[in-house]
Amino acid sequence: MNERNGTRKKSRYVDLSAQELPRLLLRLAIPSVIGLSINALQQALNAIFVGSLGAQAIAAVSMTMPIIILLGAVGEGIGVGTASFISRHLGAGNELEASRGASTALALAAPIGVIMTIAMLVTLRGIFVALGASPTILPIALDYATILLPGSTLMLLNIVSGFIARAEGNTRFSMWTMLTAFILNALLDPIFIFLLGLGVRGAALATLISQIAAISLYIAYFTKRLGTVLVSISQVSLRVDRIRQLALIGAPATTTSILASLAGMFLYGAAARFGDDFIAAVGIAVRILTIGALPITGFCIGSQAVLGFGWGARDFARVMKVAKFMLFITVALSFAYSVAVMLFVWPFGQVVQR
């Protein structure tokens, strides 16, 4: 009986030491690409629904994006550091240390999310004014952000949980979780925005509920031990050296995302001088770029588990092979999407505006 259970449990995961690298990487990366592409489609779908409310509505929602990116940057930094920590220790055969890293990361993400949410809500009006929100956009942006921001802690926990599942090689669960959240958001958007007449507040509420659904799935994933690592309060360890490892590895990802968020803030601030329509146009352009960037990011995130596992196992030749294959795929994807944007950006922009 135990042997059968062990075989069934083992078959649930991808063997990170498998020798067929291209097949292994694609098996891990494709669910991550699909998952983050779904995330991009969710943003595009929200833009289409909100865009039907007018240029001021989409401009107000777009001005909230840099704030969300800033919050997500923290979650991404914690997640990248955690995923590296987990995959390296799994490669070294130390599941206990991997479990401690995962549990500690989630324990840190929750209070960080609460503190950042409170800080943002207190200064929200000043942030939008600094971004150049006009008197017509400001109340709409405040309506949207004040409903969405309380879910920031859930967003951080979802991001970190997704990184933990992918670091174990279970990228499919993360994909299905994102797909579930997307479908729920797509169903609730028209109901809240149009049927109940909530406008942009309805869009924010739909997103918030989808975040609740996603974290519920991750809670079930961890409590039912569907993953390799054990996530529980008993595994939390606030040792300085462990936290330092999580923070230092994730710091570059956090810094990059924060700079992107600041660049977005400056961009919206510059567009605000020309009117609401310009802010809406910038918001559409940013979403188009995001749609192309997320699948590439998804491929890299999905492949990270193999890199970390190889590094932990001290198989550096394997690490180099993985890095070269990733570079080839990401360059090809970037080129293909650039061509697609140049060919189809005008009709896509027209659809979003409607």
Side-chain angles (χ1 to χ4, degrees):
M1 181 70 173
N2 290 336
E3 185 178 349
R4 285 201 307 271
N5 288 341
T7 302
R8 184 167 63 250
K9 183 177 180 181
K10 185 177 180 180
S11 65
R12 190 184 294 133
Y13 310 108
V14 176
D15 182 8
L16 297 177
S17 62
Q19 295 303 309
E20 297 182 15
L21 280 179
R23 181 179 179 183
L24 173 63
L25 290 172
L26 291 176
R27 186 178 177 187
L28 287 171
I30 287 176
S32 292
V33 171
I34 294 173
L36 289 188
S37 297
I38 290 170
N39 191 14
L41 288 174
Q42 183 173 335
Q43 294 184 27
L45 187 66
N46 282 338
I48 292 172
F49 281 124
V50 173
S52 65
L53 299 174
Q56 292 177 348
I58 196 170
V61 172
S62 296
M63 294 195 80
T64 309
M65 282 192 66
I67 300 175
I68 302 302
I69 292 173
L70 182 62
L71 293 166
V74 177
E76 184 180 351
I78 298 173
V80 168
T82 305
S84 174
F85 187 93
I86 291 172
S87 58
R88 284 185 290 111
H89 283 92
L90 289 179
N94 192 345
E95 290 188 9
L96 177 59
E97 188 64 15
S99 298
R100 288 172 176 166
S103 301
T104 302
L106 288 172
L108 292 173
I112 290 174
V114 171
I115 292 171
M116 292 188 67
T117 299
I118 294 173
M120 289 290 182
L121 287 173
V122 170
T123 60
L124 193 57
R125 179 178 291 271
I127 291 173
F128 283 135
V129 171
L131 290 175
S134 65
T136 55
I137 290 179
L138 182 59
I140 303 174
L142 288 173
D143 282 345
Y144 181 78
T146 49
I147 294 177
L148 191 64
L149 282 178
S152 298
T153 302
L154 297 179
M155 181 182 71
L156 292 186
L157 292 173
N158 279 324
I159 292 172
V160 176
S161 297
F163 273 99
I164 292 172
R166 288 188 289 264
E168 299 175 310
N170 204 346
T171 55
R172 290 185 179 181
F173 185 86
S174 179
M175 177 191 73
W176 287 116
T177 299
M178 290 184 178
L179 181 60
T180 300
F182 168 73
I183 293 173
L184 183 60
N185 199 353
L187 292 174
L188 294 179
D189 261 342
I191 294 174
F192 289 160
I193 295 174
F194 305 115
L195 187 61
L196 298 181
L198 296 177
V200 294
R201 290 177 295 174
L205 186 59
T207 302
L208 180 60
I209 293 175
S210 68
Q211 292 282 354
I212 294 173
I215 197 61
S216 299
L217 290 175
Y218 279 123
I219 290 173
Y221 176 82
F222 293 131
T223 54
K224 293 183 178 181
R225 292 297 309 276
L226 299 179
T228 304
V229 301
L230 171 62
V231 175
S232 68
I233 297 176
S234 63
Q235 297 297 315
V236 175
S237 175
L238 300 179
R239 274 174 39 186
V240 175
D241 60 331
R242 186 176 290 112
I243 296 175
R244 185 186 298 115
Q245 287 187 59
L246 297 174
L248 290 179
I249 295 175
T254 298
T255 303
T256 301
S257 296
I258 288 176
L259 291 176
S261 175
L262 292 175
M265 290 181 179
F266 290 135
L267 184 61
Y268 285 119
R273 292 181 293 177
F274 300 97
D276 297 349
D277 289 343
F278 281 81
I279 298 175
V282 169
I284 293 171
V286 169
R287 281 175 168 80
I288 292 173
L289 292 175
T290 302
I291 289 173
L294 286 181
I296 296 171
T297 304
F299 182 84
C300 294
I301 291 173
S303 303
Q304 183 185 9
V306 184
L307 281 171
F309 192 92
W311 188 273
R314 295 294 186 265
D315 190 350
F316 300 119
R318 181 181 177 85
V319 172
M320 288 302 299
K321 289 180 182 178
V322 173
K324 289 178 181 178
F325 184 77
M326 289 173 62
L327 181 62
F328 172 77
I329 293 294
T330 52
V331 170
L333 287 174
S334 300
F335 179 78
Y337 187 73
S338 298
V339 173
V341 166
M342 287 187 287
L343 292 176
F344 301 109
V345 67
W346 178 257
F348 180 78
Q350 292 294 104
V351 170
V352 174
Q353 277 187 316
R354 290 174 190 158

